[in-house]
Amino acid sequence: QVQLVESGGGLVQPGGSLKLTCKPSRSVFYTYDMGWYRQPPGKQRELVASIGGGTAKYGENMKGRVNISREFPSTVYLEMTNLRAEDTAVYFCNLRLREEYYSDIDDFWGQGIQVAVAS
């Protein structure tokens, strides 16, 4: 089964920027929708941004400070600016894709990548 490979997390100072990247571990037939979620410590997972059919949606948590983009065929980026301490969380990539032409469309999740905002 395909795995999702996330990169770009780490420790950043308040006001700083990070760019997260996610892509499948191998080529797939087609990727439909792509998204980033986050789970702050002790809280539930929440949507940060998603993109599908050429339309991007943003959660209220980072609106105006985040941009999601896609590089065909299956890479998704999350550019985050003006980061705050409350943005500290594990960030998860989600891709809705069809592995092979005969496969069902399924949701795949990355293992999560830590983003820590601290001075």
Side-chain angles (χ1 to χ4, degrees), residues 12-18 80-84 117:
V12 63
Q13 292 187 339
S17 302
L18 280 176
M80 303 181 291
T81 60
N82 193 21
L83 285 162
R84 306 166 182 167
V117 185

Side-chain angles (χ1 to χ4, degrees), residues 5-22:
V5 181
E6 300 157 322
S7 61
L11 175 64
V12 63
Q13 292 187 339
S17 302
L18 280 176
K19 182 176 182 178
L20 306 183
T21 302
C22 172

Side-chain angles (χ1 to χ4, degrees), residues 39-50:
Q39 188 164 12
K43 297 185 179 180
Q44 292 188 330
R45 193 174 298 188
E46 58 187 11
L47 173 72
V48 177
S50 66

Side-chain angles (χ1 to χ4, degrees), residues 37-40 43-47 90 92-93 109-111:
Y37 293 73
R38 71 181 189 181
Q39 188 164 12
K43 297 185 179 180
Q44 292 188 330
R45 193 174 298 188
E46 58 187 11
L47 173 72
V90 179
F92 296 89
C93 171
W109 289 89
Q111 62 181 14

Side-chain angles (χ1 to χ4, degrees), residues 21-24 31 34 69-77 95:
T21 302
C22 172
K23 58 183 178 181
T31 300
M34 318 169 97
S69 60
R70 172 177 185 162
E71 179 183 331
F72 279 90
S74 301
T75 300
V76 61
Y77 302 102
L95 299 187

